[in-house]
Amino acid sequence: PSCLHAAFSFPNRFRGKQIWEWIHKKGEHEFDNMLNIPKNLRAQLAEKTSLGTLKLAFEQVSKDGTIKRAYVLKDGQVIESVLMPYEDGRRTACISSQAGCAMG
């Protein structure tokens, strides 16, 4: 909630907490459905950002437990991730920050 407050300069932290709860507790993906948020703030949020989920397009699991995944974004572009397990229980996640670079 504090990162939302800083990013959008809410008049108080209460609004950030409300939005956080809509997204993370209620799973809402549309600002217009957040009816306890003022309409002008919902419009500002929709103008500056978007909400959504990733669609899993591909998953490959290696013998060592490494998981490679490709995800489709809202605009149809694809991003990729790799989750690498280690014997001591740690894991490292690599997530692409650019769309359009094919895995292979």
Side-chain angles (χ1 to χ4, degrees):
S2 60
C3 61
L4 286 170
H5 176 76
F8 288 96
S9 301
F10 298 140
N12 57 52
R13 292 183 185 271
F14 176 71
R15 291 287 179 223
K17 184 178 179 187
Q18 283 181 308
I19 294 165
W20 181 266
E21 289 177 355
W22 273 109
I23 296 168
H24 295 285
K25 289 187 179 179
K26 298 177 182 179
E28 185 56 59
H29 297 266
E30 299 291 333
F31 293 116
D32 283 340
N33 295 336
M34 300 179 185
L35 300 178
N36 63 341
I37 306 298
K39 193 171 186 173
N40 64 336
L41 179 54
R42 286 184 274 154
Q44 178 187 7
L45 289 165
E47 180 182 318
K48 292 185 176 185
T49 190
S50 64
L51 299 174
T53 57
L54 300 173
K55 180 180 175 185
L56 183 62
F58 172 83
E59 180 177 88
Q60 177 183 4
V61 181
S62 299
K63 290 179 185 177
D64 68 356
T66 297
I67 302 170
K68 294 180 182 181
R69 290 183 173 175
Y71 300 94
V72 179
L73 303 174
K74 199 180 227 183
D75 65 1
Q77 293 287 327
V78 177
I79 61 170
E80 298 161 2
S81 70
V82 179
L83 182 64
M84 298 171 286
Y86 295 95
E87 291 180 14
D88 64 3
R90 294 178 300 124
R91 297 180 188 176
T92 297
C94 297
I95 302 170
S96 67
S97 60
Q98 293 182 345
C101 300
M103 181 164 54

